[in-house]
Amino acid sequence: MTSMSRARVARRIAAGAAYGGGGIGLAGAAVVGLLLAEAQLARRHVNGGGEHHRAPHADGRYGRTYDAPGTPAAEPLRLVLLGDSTAAGQGVHRSGQTPGALLASGLAAVAERPVELRNVALPGAQSDDLDRQVALILGTSDQVPDICVIMIGANDVTQRMPPTRSVRHLSAAVRRLRTAGAEVVVGTCPDLGTIEPVPQPLRWLARRASRQLAAAQTIGVIEQGGRTVSLGDLLGPEFEERPRELFGPDHYHPSAEGYATAAMAVLPTLCAALGLWPAEEERPDVSRREGFLPVARAAAEAASEAGTEVTAAMPTGPRGPWALLKRRRRRRVEEAEPSRPAPNQASA
């Protein structure tokens, strides 16, 4: 599917979400039986290969160095993760390997302030669970998070939730968090076509459906004042080239190295949303094909290239709202060690 046609589909889905339209089918009825049969086989393969169904608990305080005696006391930044198993960190063994811990320690290092992490993501969650998760965040504390990271969408595709409904729930969650005063970064639906157990033609259809949903999610999030980062094929072609290294034991959830790669792609957007990234990095770089585009076109391009950030720009243009598309540089995984939490850095 071309970028322009994906943009048109994304606009239709987002419009249906905004105005209460029904679901837009992503696969014809003639192949539903085949897809269901193959999906059941793939699900048995995925579930049979994973022994650990719970994500490690990583909530706590990161960057304790900045609490050390003799240093000025700094109010901690409050970081919250919402979403599904990817946000929770399912598939790894240690709390420090989860995306929440990696993002919290990286944010603490950039801000030179401690970070309080809370993770309310639920493995297996679909977008309709975000209402409950947001209520947990906004209803149990007087302190509004400084920034929230949402990773959601894969289960919407595999469980065949209508994309308009999916985007509607995500948009409502972003709106509530932004209205409360929190910055929001959304990691859009990953490319399910990279999952090893999924056979053809389900793999091709899963890739198309997940990219369409990712583009529509981007439009919905930008309209509510959030930012998005494309998770794409879980943030890099290395997931297809080295799946044994970057997928976990179940061949579905990322490994520790895979989550580190994902966290590195999201961290710059996290910092930029909080005004912590260098000003020169915020200007579009023409050599990296960055720039201002209509929101739907920016969303479609981002869905095709992992690690791409989209944020609102000019309020309107000849073809509607515009956005800034940025392809932030990503370091290799082995260069990310400083962002990993040190032992005893977080309290359980």
Side-chain angles (χ1 to χ4, degrees), residues 92-118:
V92 295
H93 302 286
R94 296 192 295 274
S95 61
Q97 298 171 329
T98 63
L102 294 165
L103 289 171
S105 57
L107 180 58
V110 174
E112 297 186 346
R113 287 172 60 181
V115 173
E116 286 286 347
L117 170 67
R118 185 180 180 191

Side-chain angles (χ1 to χ4, degrees), residues 138 144-148 174-184 274:
L138 299 182
V144 175
D146 293 290
I147 190 156
C148 297
V174 174
R175 180 169 59 251
R176 289 177 64 191
L177 293 168
R178 292 291 293 133
T179 299
E183 297 291 339
V184 180
L274 292 170

Side-chain angles (χ1 to χ4, degrees), residues 69-70 80 199 218 248 256 269 346-347:
V80 173
T218 296
T269 301
S347 57

